[in-house]
Amino acid sequence: MKKINLNPLRWRMNTYALWVSFLLPGLIMLAYFAYRKMAPFGTSSILTVDLGQQYIDFFAGYRDAVLHSPTSIFYSFAKGLGGETYGDWAYYLLSPFNLLLLPFSNAKLPVGILLVTVLKYSFAGWSMAYALRSMRWQSGWQLPIFSVSYAFMGWFVANELNLLWLDAAILLPLIVMGLERYLDNQSHWRYIWGLTAIFIINYYMAYMIGIFLVVYLLWRLSWQPYSLRQRGIIFGRFVFGSVISLGLATFVWLPTAASLVNSKGQHMLSGLKNEFEYKPLDLLAKLFNGTYNFDQMQTGTANIFVGSLILIVVWFFFTYRDIRWQTRVVALLVTAFLIVSMMYAPLDVAWHGFQFPVWYPYRFSFVFSFWLIWLAGSVWSPKLTFSWPQIIGILIILIAVVAYLYQRLPKLNYLSSTQLWVGVSFFLVILAFHLLPWRGWWWLPAMLILVAGEMVVSTVGTLNNFSYLTQTEYQNLITSLESVTKTLPSKQKDFYRVAQSFQRTKGDALQGSYYGASTFTSALEHQQSDFMAIIGEPEGDNYVNYDGGTLVTDSLLGMRYLMQTTGIDATIAGTPANMAILPRDDTDGIYSSQKIINNIELSKNNQALPVAFAANTAALSVTSKENDPMTNQNRLWQALLGATDTGPITSANFEQAIGANLDAPSVVTGAFLKKKDANLGASLTLRYKADGNGPYYLTIGSGVSNDDISILVNGVQVSEIPSHRHTIILPLPNANKNAQQTITITLKKASVWLQDVSLYHLKTEVFQQQASSLQQNGLKISSATSTKITGSIKMPIGSGLLMTTIPASSGWKMYVDGREVDTIKVANFFMAAVIGPGEHTVTFKYSVPMLRYGVITTIGFILFMIGFSWSEGARKKRRVKDLTLH
């Protein structure tokens, strides 16, 4: 029997090329991050754009869920007012690399993210090298050349901050290699496990890979003159393996698909036009190094940079006559299809799940870069030679491309003449290397240096176009936030929400592990946005932001605590004062101050309602008015009480309006302001006297933005008006009786329409009495998690409605005295139920819709594959036995 060598040192020597392919990209990126002094190498950080404003909060929530609160994997009240999170995890957090973040505290997360980023570069390079070696297309020192070409392709570098997508690029070479082995009558498991993995890790990118695999199969069928029967067998294997992968991942994608109906599914095909999205030839600019900047991040062309060597060899592939002409023709059609997809709107939106992406356009373009590198890897070798027609043809194309781009330079802010000539220089030198008649031992290492050099130049040029948060800027807020939230009561037998007047991101609640009301997620239920618009809070298709709360909404939503900045160190980046949003001066003298920690004041709202309470059934018929948030709040509040009076909120008037370089209107709401002298500044000063019985609020319509005006309240500049598409609320001070209050509106444009700019007053005494009345019959919680809340409640005669501030969804079930009861929506958002008077035990349970069916389906596919594999194994043993007997 042959002795198996398990010596790891010997094993490494036998696979040195793969080790180099793995280590080289990672070491290059580690060196770059150290050069940029990113933590742990200095005071900067890797955080930029969405990585610093969204993803890092999800990573903090990931750590909290895995280490402390596993039920929040399914549902979390830190997602706005509460939402299903299984779909969020399926999109953002199921990469196995994220496990490496667990040892890092929230304050040190940027260091962990840097480590994961470096490893993903390494694994991307390794996966391409391993796939090409397994195909027996490349070997030895040739592998690192394709490793760096793939790891540093334009798409990977441009999306470095989108860590959740990078696993798709890592797995794609392994999936295609597995498919090839499977179609060659070898094991099906490589293909099935690879495809299953990407379905689980990120369904969104898996969808794109699925489209590419169908197109790839068409090319695969052109390799040989297969008979119709053989083509049918190949197609059947492809379908079988793909369906099995889809089935094994059903426990992830099925419930996720159900959740998308209430989020992304609401906006499919919106804004679709039958047109090319830019000048098609402008895509040629992306073949040059470093052609990516902030503008390209928002609305750019596809990132398809793969380096000169790949382009040269792809040209050789299409012009080399020893390759079957059918194979080359189909490859050309596939290439054309992918190129047109990156510029023609209907195809573009189809690749993105029939919904145009917000920022980061052409997210599927990694499959095109892979395709080019795969084609090049299938034919290149150090012995490759070109014919003179091939050389002349490629030089003519080069001249034409350079000529076009040179005259387009003024229109392309992502391509400079320097980049153009650097790209041409690399191209000509690498081409010249292939024309050398003598290629000694030095030729391959030199080629590796050339290719790596070009890819690194492009990578550095791209990443240097962005600014990054400093480590201190990030840690200042996180440290302050955690120091306060750690002092809050345990949520195991309690439920409350926390409001704040400062904000690093809309995901602060994930960082501080508390329940808030803001969030930013691609899987946001549209009902959350709809409700926030009704009560006057900033919202969008993928975010809600509880900026301008009132005493009414604070109480209704159970905002028991309020975190405010003390105003100290406002000029220091990352401090609470530096990240102040709308001040909550309306709570002054009403909320009781609890403590001040790290420049954050924590106050308590004694009027906060519990998560469930007895209310009047009149709330079931409450309706809302568009762009009238104060009226909506009043209506809902009064309906919960069953009251017929006007409620605690009333309309108020300004006593005086004074114009500077404009005519002061007699009626402020809806007034049209216009500068008398367009070259001078202009402002409108509005004055009113406080009555000493509660705060005032100013509403601002969607037609008034931060680009139009700035606002001073009593001479103090209000931070930027939040972006909004409905009328929002600006809290004003709770001032003493007869105190003169002044609002100054300064124009930033020649004219401004004061849409829905109105003043309202909230009567504190009336409101507090009503809040106390609702509090008396609240749920007394005995246990609470993210997915199950249990407690007891006394329903008084005449109430009839068990009201909750839990967003209604099909996943929530309500049990009263052990029996499930039918639920109903209040304000088209909150879950409630009509129940009788008396003492009741109430339980709210959440289960992810369709998860159970997904798990059952997955188990079924697992059992099928176990049986199938056993059957295949038994069949092979019989064949071997028959051959032995004969």
Side-chain angles (χ1 to χ4, degrees):
M1 181 180 292
K2 185 178 178 180
K3 184 178 180 180
I4 299 175
N5 191 333
L6 298 178
N7 185 338
L9 295 177
R10 182 67 180 273
W11 179 70
R12 291 174 185 173
M13 290 174 64
N14 290 334
T15 57
Y16 69 94
L18 287 179
W19 274 105
V20 173
S21 298
F22 174 80
L23 293 172
L24 186 58
L27 290 175
I28 289 173
M29 288 312 301
L30 202 62
Y32 173 77
F33 292 145
Y35 160 73
R36 290 297 302 266
K37 293 182 170 55
M38 294 179 179
F41 304 108
T43 57
S44 184
S45 79
I46 197 173
L47 303 181
T48 183
V49 199
D50 280 5
L51 181 56
Q53 295 295 317
Q54 182 187 22
Y55 304 148
I56 193 167
D57 299 324
F58 279 106
F59 292 143
Y62 174 90
R63 291 186 67 257
D64 183 64
V66 173
L67 299 176
H68 307 294
S69 180
T71 58
S72 63
I73 296 173
F74 307 106
Y75 192 93
S76 176
F77 287 100
K79 180 184 178 182
L81 292 170
E84 181 267 334
T85 50
Y86 195 76
D88 294 74
W89 276 64
Y91 181 65
Y92 291 101
L93 297 171
L94 291 186
S95 169
F97 286 94
N98 292 342
L99 292 170
L100 298 174
L101 299 176
L102 295 181
F104 297 89
S105 67
N106 286 357
K108 296 293 185 181
L109 264 180
V111 178
I113 292 172
L114 184 142
L115 170 64
V116 169
T117 302
V118 168
L119 286 175
K120 289 196 176 187
Y121 272 101
S122 286
F123 275 98
W126 173 85
S127 69
M128 176 57 77
Y130 180 79
L132 290 175
R133 196 188 77 157
S134 297
M135 293 292 293
R136 303 185 188 279
W137 287 349
Q138 302 294 329
S139 61
W141 282 108
Q142 298 163 215
L143 294 175
I145 291 176
F146 289 91
S147 166
V148 296
S149 295
Y150 190 66
F152 296 119
M153 63 182 176
W155 181 91
F156 205 94
V157 176
N159 289 286
E160 171 192 284
L161 61 97
N162 293 308
L163 282 176
L164 60 161
W165 298 341
L166 301 186
D167 293 55
I170 293 171
L171 285 170
L172 181 56
L174 304 179
I175 292 170
V176 174
M177 179 270 294
L179 176 61
E180 289 291 353
R181 299 278 70 81
Y182 177 35
L183 298 182
D184 284 340
N185 289 317
Q186 298 183 35
S187 173
H188 51 263
W189 285 114
R190 287 187 179 184
Y191 175 62
I192 289 175
W193 286 131
L195 192 57
T196 301
I198 191 58
F199 274 130
I200 294 173
I201 291 170
N202 193 290
Y203 65 88
Y204 184 60
M205 307 307 284
Y207 166 79
M208 300 173 188
I209 288 177
I211 295 176
F212 174 73
L213 289 176
V214 173
V215 177
Y216 181 87
L217 183 67
L218 299 177
W219 178 62
R220 179 64 171 77
L221 291 172
S222 71
W223 284 17
Q224 297 178 27
Y226 296 113
S227 66
L228 186 61
R229 180 176 177 278
Q230 289 173 319
R231 293 177 190 275
I233 292 173
I234 290 174
F235 181 74
R237 285 177 182 161
F238 171 74
V239 171
F240 175 80
S242 302
V243 170
I244 293 298
S245 297
L246 197 62
L248 291 173
T250 306
F251 76 100
V252 170
W253 68 260
L254 185 60
T256 300
S259 74
L260 290 176
V261 172
N262 281 329
S263 54
K264 281 181 172 291
Q266 298 291 314
H267 316 290
M268 292 179 69
L269 296 176
S270 60
L272 178 62
K273 296 180 180 179
N274 182 28
E275 65 181 12
F276 281 86
E277 296 164 308
Y278 55 87
K279 288 182 179 292
L281 289 179
D282 284 355
L283 187 60
L284 293 170
K286 286 302 183 77
L287 297 175
F288 290 80
N289 65 85
T291 49
Y292 191 68
N293 55 28
F294 189 77
D295 292 336
Q296 288 289 293
M297 189 180 290
Q298 300 175 69
T299 54
T301 53
N303 300 294
I304 58 172
F305 176 76
V306 289
S308 299
L309 175 67
I310 302 303
L311 298 178
I312 291 169
V313 181
V314 167
W315 169 254
F316 174 84
F317 176 92
F318 285 117
T319 57
Y320 187 49
R321 294 189 177 183
D322 284 358
I323 299 174
R324 294 185 78 234
W325 68 266
Q326 295 93 334
T327 303
R328 287 183 287 144
V329 168
V330 177
L332 186 61
L333 292 174
V334 170
T335 305
F337 170 72
L338 294 176
I339 290 174
V340 173
S341 295
M342 294 185 290
M343 57 183 69
Y344 182 53
L347 287 178
D348 176 27
V349 75
W351 278 92
H352 290 99
F354 300 96
Q355 183 182 82
F356 281 112
V358 179
W359 285 44
Y360 314 109
Y362 313 104
R363 299 171 182 181
F364 65 92
S365 58
F366 72 98
V367 302
F368 178 71
S369 298
F370 165 82
W371 169 249
L372 295 183
I373 297 172
W374 195 249
L375 287 181
S378 70
V379 296
W380 185 81
S381 80
K383 298 178 181 180
L384 188 69
T385 58
F386 291 87
S387 66
W388 280 110
Q390 287 177 315
I391 297 169
I392 294 171
I394 199 170
L395 289 176
I396 290 173
I397 293 174
L398 176 64
I399 292 170
V401 169
V402 172
Y404 172 78
L405 293 177
Y406 191 79
Q407 60 89 24
R408 284 285 293 167
L409 284 178
K411 303 289 185 180
L412 306 175
N413 69 352
Y414 52 90
L415 178 67
S416 66
S417 58
T418 300
Q419 290 168 281
L420 190 64
W421 297 122
V422 168
V424 170
S425 299
F426 272 110
F427 190 93
L428 292 176
V429 171
I430 291 174
L431 179 61
F433 259 59
H434 285 85
L435 302 181
L436 293 174
W438 176 73
R439 305 177 189 181
W441 62 267
W442 54 270
W443 192 91
L444 196 56
M447 181 58 66
L448 174 58
I449 292 172
L450 275 174
V451 171
E454 183 180 20
M455 303 309 291
V456 169
V457 166
S458 179
T459 299
V460 172
T462 296
L463 297 180
N464 281 352
N465 284 329
F466 304 106
S467 58
Y468 300 83
L469 287 176
T470 66
Q471 184 74 342
T472 302
E473 186 176 356
Y474 167 76
Q475 288 183 336
N476 278 346
L477 194 284
I478 300 305
T479 302
S480 297
L481 189 67
E482 288 184 330
S483 65
V484 174
T485 56
K486 285 178 180 178
T487 68
L488 294 174
S490 169
K491 299 192 292 288
Q492 291 182 352
K493 293 184 178 181
D494 201 354
F495 185 99
Y496 57 88
R497 293 187 174 100
V498 181
Q500 57 194 98
S501 69
F502 60 89
Q503 185 182 83
R504 197 192 78 81
T505 72
K506 298 175 182 67
D508 281 354
L510 291 171
Q511 291 277 3
S513 188
Y514 58 90
Y515 299 157
S518 301
T519 192
F520 178 22
T521 169
S522 293
L524 179 67
E525 299 86 349
H526 72 92
Q527 293 91 340
Q528 291 220 46
S529 295
D530 295 343
F531 178 74
M532 284 297 191
I534 287 171
I535 63 171
E537 298 299 320
E539 50 76 39
D541 293 337
N542 53 13
Y543 77 91
V544 291
N545 207 11
Y546 192 71
D547 276 349
T550 66
L551 299 187
V552 169
T553 57
D554 280 2
S555 176
L556 173 64
L557 300 176
M559 297 288 173
R560 189 187 302 172
Y561 297 97
L562 170 65
M563 293 187 292
Q564 300 187 85
T565 170
T566 60
I568 298 174
D569 295 332
T571 59
I572 299 177
T575 61
N578 183 253
M579 296 188 173
I581 45 177
L582 298 180
R584 290 300 306 275
D585 296 336
D586 59 319
T587 66
D588 290 352
I590 300 175
Y591 292 2
S592 57
S593 179
Q594 302 292 293
K595 63 193 70 173
I596 295 177
I597 304 175
N598 286 348
N599 297 328
I600 294 177
E601 180 181 8
L602 182 70
S603 57
K604 186 176 182 180
N605 171 20
N606 293 314
Q607 281 74 52
L609 299 181
V611 68
F613 53 91
N616 195 282
T617 54
L620 296 175
S621 58
V622 70
T623 58
S624 60
K625 294 177 64 178
E626 187 174 1
N627 293 320
D628 195 352
M630 299 304 285
T631 297
N632 293 335
Q633 291 185 25
N634 224 20
R635 282 182 177 180
L636 178 57
W637 185 256
Q638 291 299 98
L640 293 171
L641 292 157
T644 57
D645 56 22
T646 57
I649 302 174
T650 58
S651 180
N653 296 315
F654 294 106
E655 291 184 344
Q656 189 178 24
I658 303 171
N661 193 29
L662 54 80
D663 293 325
S666 56
V667 177
V668 174
T669 304
F672 185 79
L673 305 182
K674 185 176 182 180
K675 291 182 178 181
K676 294 179 179 178
D677 187 337
N679 297 319
L680 298 177
S683 63
L684 177 67
T685 299
L686 304 171
R687 292 176 178 168
Y688 68 94
K689 282 186 179 179
D691 74 349
N693 182 28
Y696 289 75
Y697 298 91
L698 184 72
T699 60
I700 303 171
S702 59
V704 186
S705 71
N706 194 67
D707 295 332
D708 300 314
I709 63 171
S710 62
I711 298 177
L712 280 77
V713 176
N714 296 329
V716 178
Q717 179 75 50
V718 174
S719 59
E720 291 188 358
I721 299 172
S723 175
H724 59 288
R725 56 185 187 181
H726 296 89
T727 300
I728 61 171
I729 298 170
L730 173 64
L732 299 175
N734 177 36
N736 295 326
K737 187 174 183 178
N738 294 324
Q740 184 74 53
Q741 303 294 295
T742 302
I743 300 173
T744 302
I745 299 174
T746 302
L747 277 63
K748 296 181 179 180
K749 295 182 178 179
S751 60
V752 170
W753 175 36
L754 298 183
Q755 180 195 18
D756 291 336
V757 175
S758 302
L759 186 67
Y760 293 86
H761 178 223
L762 189 148
K763 300 173 184 177
T764 305
E765 292 181 2
V766 173
F767 162 72
Q768 288 178 331
Q769 290 173 1
Q770 293 176 334
S772 296
S773 174
L774 290 173
Q775 285 177 322
Q776 287 176 5
N777 298 294
L779 181 73
K780 294 178 175 59
I781 295 175
S782 57
S783 65
T785 67
S786 297
T787 57
K788 184 178 180 181
I789 301 173
T790 300
S792 60
I793 189 171
K794 182 179 181 180
M795 295 292 294
I797 297 175
S799 291
L801 182 70
L802 177 56
M803 173 70 181
T804 81
T805 56
I806 300 173
S809 81
S810 59
W812 279 106
K813 304 295 181 185
M814 187 187 301
Y815 299 86
V816 177
D817 300 326
R819 290 187 175 185
E820 183 179 349
V821 298
D822 293 331
T823 60
I824 193 169
K825 287 184 181 180
V826 171
N828 202 35
F829 182 65
F830 295 115
M831 177 174 64
V834 176
I835 63 175
E839 293 277 356
H840 298 285
T841 299
V842 181
T843 299
F844 305 99
K845 288 183 180 180
Y846 182 82
S847 58
V848 179
M850 304 303 291
L851 177 59
R852 181 192 213 176
Y853 299 106
V855 171
I856 292 172
T857 303
T858 293
I859 292 173
F861 272 89
I862 291 173
L863 294 175
F864 171 79
M865 287 308 296
I866 290 173
F868 178 79
S869 297
W870 178 84
S871 176
E872 285 286 293
R875 189 180 298 116
K876 287 180 180 179
K877 286 181 179 179
R878 284 196 298 269
R879 288 175 184 170
V880 172
K881 185 176 181 180
D882 290 343
L883 289 173
T884 303
L885 292 174
H886 288 84

